Amino acid sequence: MTAVDDRPDTATGEVGRARLRKEDQRLITGRTRWTDNLQLPGMLHIAMVRSPVAHATITGIDTEAARRAPGVVAVVTGADVRDTQGVVANAWPITTDQKTPPHLPFAIDRVACAGEIVAAVVARTAAAARDAAELVDVDYDELPAVLDAKEAVSDAVLAHPDLGTNTSAVWTLDSAQGGTGGDVDEAIEKARADGIVIEREYRQQRLIPSFMEPRSTVVDPTGEQVTVWTSTQVPHILRFLIAATTGMPESKVRVIAPDVGGGFGGKLQTTAEEFVTLAVARHVGKPVKYTETRSESLVSGHHGRDQYQTLTLAATKEGKVTALKVDLIANLGAYVALVGGGVPVLGAWMFNSIYKFDAYRFTVRTVLTNMTWVDAYRGAGRPEATYAIERLMDELAAEVGVDPLEIRERNWIRHDEFPFTTVAGMTYDSGNYEAATARATELFDYDALRREQRERRERNDPVQLGIGVSTFTEMCGLAPSRVLGTLNYGAGGWEHASIRMLPTGKVEVITGTSPHGQGHETAWSQIAADRLGVPFEDIEVLHGDTQIAPRGLDTYGSRSLVVGGEAVVRAADKVVAKAKLVAAHLLEASVDDLEFSGGRFTVKGTDKGIGITEVAAAQFTSHNLAEGMESGIDADATFDPESFSFPHGTHLCAVEVDTETGQVRMRKYVCVDDVGQVVNPLIVEGQVHGGLVQGIAQALWEEAVFDDNGTLVTGSFVDYTLPTAADTISFVTDNTTSPSTTNTLGTKGVGEAGTIASTPAVVNAVVDALRPLGIHDIQMPCTPERVWRAIRSAGGEQAAVTTPDAQPHFDGGAPNQAPTDPSSSASAEGAGQ
């Protein structure tokens, strides 16, 4: 592992310094408050009654036994709060004719998936509520259920019979229509005649966001305001949607996100549980708490991914890509979640990745099924896209007979071509794929591992070595409001910050972003400290409370630093500009004669000056202000970027695959990411490590599995194989820097990079180890059983692992090409599902 402390500290100020996080002291010592820690006077507890079946009409709910149970105060159904429960909204209808079934917090007449809430038991203790919930008797008239996205397309069984179809929407991005490229079909036909065409189908399995802290909500309806404490990534969005769907005035709703124990997209939803807790609290007129069990979290919290990807790549015989056609079927589950329909759309601009295609068409069909609904999971559309294109580039390398790194270099955007407008119409502002790749191959010792691979193949070693490559970019900083408006997104992409200069010399930074593990309190303090010239320790960052920070659009899509951090910069610059006017008056100097550095205003050419905290104190007393000057140098700023930011990187993975058992063992992992200017290397390192584990977990371990009745089989951590630190290896990480031009900090975002890049790196490594057997794909997760079956179906029990006479290699910038044995080349038919 490349330790941050081992790298030279070149930071001249706070930005760039590896500061320990301010947040960690209270988090690791247990002095924080999670939502479930809250105890309010007279507070009651809720247990949810959930449907055990995937699709049924509700013919009756008998609550009498539960009402008589010890400690029970009330049993509430959807009929009791029909007009006040609100709606779980979809904020991104991707087409004007999108089919969006209404999603009520309480199911009243029909359930569309297992886990839907049909009643809530309110009791004096959580245990009493759970016990009484078992006594609620619900009669279901079961209906046929559709549980697979491909089956849903046929409409043979309807998830919502009243809609008449399972297709929610069909959305297309076509370079020929957009004027950014040629006709895809023509380019593919040309390649069929005199080039290479590779067609593949990849499966993005369903995943479950598995955060440390389960979701929890406390609602107090007894004051002038209704106060909602909840473990969420989106307090501002939740406040808006509560007001918009229940009719409550927004001024009467206060949402607080206390310390939040992880989210990964799993807490950006406005959940049925939040609305039910609110409705029940208002119904009984007392504070109420709901905290889910882990099994509830797995079945009813939204899931991620779940796509079928059909891709056609066209290239010349020399391996120069010419066209890419992408057809997706995306499973939305039972309802169109907050941004669920838009998640695959986010990937539309990323399938082309860092490569120069001449023609491109992307089409997604979103379908409804009787399964838990799907929404954003770390990366949200970008990991799915990166996985597909990076798998395809390995297939193209095998077909041409060159090293996977060489095929990428032949097709990527060169560093001197930025800014570059892609075939998908997205303009990448900066990047240097050559530098990141050269550094990664150096740290990885790429050539030595390729030599070892050849030696193992020559001796027919039962444990084969595979080397996987992933070179990626992603669009970060979910923003520009104007762009989001053209996509029919239901909100803007701006972010807000305020800075208060206190008379004691301290500073408060109020941010509209809402952290759940990212280190905002530390990073925002570093930014403000540099900009204002005040000590890091004297800055407090306030967030996550819509009364303290009334404006904001919260945290998701790697937007916090590139959008929210820039808002902090602009607010700080406004403070300095205001303070300069006051300083000029106090120093009896012209504003034009003042310089500001290190938190101090000085008169040019003299040692006469005054500190910005002294200016704040003078403003507080207002004893000596210029005529007409208002007291106060506090400032607010809103930043709405003109474009996204585009981090990138090169990830290299070596795995050992036991061809007798199918066991995959990670041997080495190196990644070099370019996330623009780094504010805190320690935080970046942590974000990358966490992201890597999540992406690797999709490749090797995690999958949500339902049985034929729509019941989640992997409903606990016994069956849903979430990795621990013991299941992974130490990673070698580093970074190159090409600053973003979309914000003054030059930052690009890092929260999702590791997850986006690592999955294809690992799967490419597994397939690379087995490619001589004719295996070109193994469906994720690459469990020992799946790998073993692929080997056996390819004849691996008897087949020798042959070695080409000459193996292409890449020495960090000087690719050497040589012919490969035909047995190692990919074919459109291939083996190994």
Side-chain angles (χ1 to χ4, degrees), residues 492-504:
W494 51 265
E495 196 46 78
H496 187 77
S498 302
I499 291 182
R500 299 173 186 158
M501 302 294 296
L502 306 179
T504 57

Side-chain angles (χ1 to χ4, degrees), residues 392-624:
L392 277 179
M393 294 306 287
D394 261 32
E395 297 301 294
L396 179 61
E399 191 73 24
V400 175
V402 299
D403 188 272
L405 283 170
E406 161 65 5
I407 207 70
R408 287 164 170 83
E409 185 183 38
R410 290 185 185 185
N411 289 286
W412 68 35
I413 304 159
R414 300 189 312 272
H415 72 276
D416 57 359
E417 294 179 292
F418 290 96
F420 186 91
T421 300
T422 72
V423 71
M426 192 69 71
T427 299
Y428 300 169
D429 61 324
S430 67
N432 192 327
Y433 310 136
E434 302 97 309
T437 301
R439 180 60 175 153
T441 54
E442 175 189 357
L443 292 171
F444 193 68
D445 203 358
Y446 190 85
D447 287 340
L449 285 167
R450 283 294 185 197
R451 284 194 298 272
E452 181 184 342
Q453 181 184 60
R454 290 196 296 273
E455 291 166 1
R456 289 195 184 205
R457 289 179 176 177
E458 287 168 355
R459 65 175 182 263
N460 199 23
D461 195 317
V463 178
Q464 286 294 303
L465 182 66
I467 297 170
V469 177
S470 175
T471 51
F472 83 105
T473 189
E474 57 159 324
M475 48 189 255
C476 278
L478 187 61
S481 297
R482 294 163 298 283
V483 174
L484 295 177
T486 64
L487 297 173
N488 207 31
Y489 186 73
W494 51 265
E495 196 46 78
H496 187 77
S498 302
I499 291 182
R500 299 173 186 158
M501 302 294 296
L502 306 179
T504 57
K506 309 297 184 183
V507 178
E508 290 179 342
V509 175
I510 300 94
T511 176
T513 62
S514 185
H516 44 283
Q518 292 87 348
H520 292 184
E521 292 178 29
T522 303
W524 277 215
S525 294
Q526 291 179 268
I527 292 168
D530 271 2
R531 221 69 187 189
L532 298 172
V534 298
F536 170 83
E537 296 77 10
D538 288 347
I539 299 173
E540 182 178 11
V541 178
L542 306 175
H543 56 79
D545 183 335
T546 61
Q547 189 137 299
I548 293 172
R551 297 195 65 205
L553 285 172
D554 306 318
T555 296
Y556 40 85
S558 298
R559 70 184 302 272
S560 290
L561 181 59
V562 296
V563 187
E566 182 67 15
V568 173
V569 167
R570 296 187 176 212
D573 289 350
K574 286 184 179 181
V575 167
V576 172
K578 285 185 176 182
K580 191 172 187 180
L581 297 175
V582 180
H585 172 71
L586 295 175
L587 294 171
E588 299 179 340
S590 168
V591 171
D592 295 336
D593 289 336
L594 290 191
E595 296 177 324
F596 181 71
S597 178
R600 188 169 179 82
F601 295 98
T602 56
V603 180
K604 295 176 183 177
T606 75
D607 58 1
K608 185 179 180 181
I610 187 172
I612 194 168
T613 56
E614 296 174 84
V615 173
Q619 282 288 88
F620 173 71
T621 62
S622 296
H623 293 165
N624 182 20

Side-chain angles (χ1 to χ4, degrees), residues 159-467:
H160 295 271
D162 53 314
L163 294 180
T165 180
N166 290 320
T167 296
S168 176
V170 177
W171 188 93
T172 298
L173 177 70
D174 193 325
S175 65
Q177 295 178 2
T180 55
D183 183 272
V184 159
D185 295 324
E186 290 180 5
I188 291 173
E189 288 309 308
K190 183 177 187 303
R192 289 191 195 279
D194 58 9
I196 297 171
V197 175
I198 297 175
E199 298 171 297
R200 295 286 185 269
E201 178 182 277
Y202 297 124
R203 176 79 171 109
Q204 282 281 324
Q205 79 270 36
R206 180 175 281 240
L207 302 177
I208 306 178
S210 301
F211 23 75
M212 179 174 62
E213 177 206 16
R215 296 174 303 161
S216 180
T217 301
V218 175
V219 178
D220 184 358
T222 61
E224 288 296 315
Q225 288 179 311
V226 173
T227 303
V228 180
W229 292 265
T230 187
S231 181
T232 182
Q233 298 174 219
V234 290
H236 295 91
I237 291 172
L238 177 58
R239 178 187 60 176
F240 166 76
L241 288 174
I242 287 173
T245 66
T246 67
M248 298 173 64
E250 196 167 350
S251 62
K252 298 300 183 183
V253 180
R254 179 183 185 184
V255 177
I256 301 171
D259 281 315
V260 175
F264 314 120
K267 293 178 182 173
L268 68 70
Q269 193 66 244
T270 55
T271 68
E273 289 79 3
E274 288 165 333
F275 280 89
V276 165
T277 307
L278 172 65
V280 169
R282 296 176 71 196
H283 183 74
V284 301
K286 293 184 178 180
V288 171
K289 178 193 289 186
Y290 167 73
T291 300
E292 68 185 1
T293 64
R294 183 60 68 178
S295 59
E296 283 183 296
S297 178
L298 292 172
V299 73
S300 68
H302 79 247
H303 294 175
R305 312 290 192 250
D306 203 344
Q307 294 180 2
Y308 288 99
Q309 305 172 313
T310 302
L311 301 105
T312 304
L313 182 145
T316 66
K317 290 180 179 178
E318 296 73 32
K320 179 71 174 67
V321 296
T322 57
L324 180 65
K325 183 169 69 172
V326 179
D327 290 291
L328 301 186
I329 303 173
N331 188 350
L332 299 179
Y335 298 101
V336 189
L338 187 68
V339 294
V343 166
V345 170
L346 287 173
W349 293 277
M350 291 289 103
F351 275 88
N352 54 285
S353 190
I354 65 174
Y355 307 114
K356 295 183 285 188
F357 287 92
D358 299 321
Y360 174 61
R361 184 166 69 234
F362 168 96
T363 302
V364 59
R365 178 186 297 271
T366 58
V367 297
L368 297 157
T369 61
N370 297 116
M371 303 172 75
T372 305
W373 45 93
V374 171
D375 208 329
Y377 175 59
R378 197 170 188 171
R382 280 83 44 87
E384 297 92 315
T386 300
Y387 178 82
I389 187 60
E390 288 304 290
R391 291 287 295 111
L392 277 179
M393 294 306 287
D394 261 32
E395 297 301 294
L396 179 61
E399 191 73 24
V400 175
V402 299
D403 188 272
L405 283 170
E406 161 65 5
I407 207 70
R408 287 164 170 83
E409 185 183 38
R410 290 185 185 185
N411 289 286
W412 68 35
I413 304 159
R414 300 189 312 272
H415 72 276
D416 57 359
E417 294 179 292
F418 290 96
F420 186 91
T421 300
T422 72
V423 71
M426 192 69 71
T427 299
Y428 300 169
D429 61 324
S430 67
N432 192 327
Y433 310 136
E434 302 97 309
T437 301
R439 180 60 175 153
T441 54
E442 175 189 357
L443 292 171
F444 193 68
D445 203 358
Y446 190 85
D447 287 340
L449 285 167
R450 283 294 185 197
R451 284 194 298 272
E452 181 184 342
Q453 181 184 60
R454 290 196 296 273
E455 291 166 1
R456 289 195 184 205
R457 289 179 176 177
E458 287 168 355
R459 65 175 182 263
N460 199 23
D461 195 317
V463 178
Q464 286 294 303
L465 182 66
I467 297 170

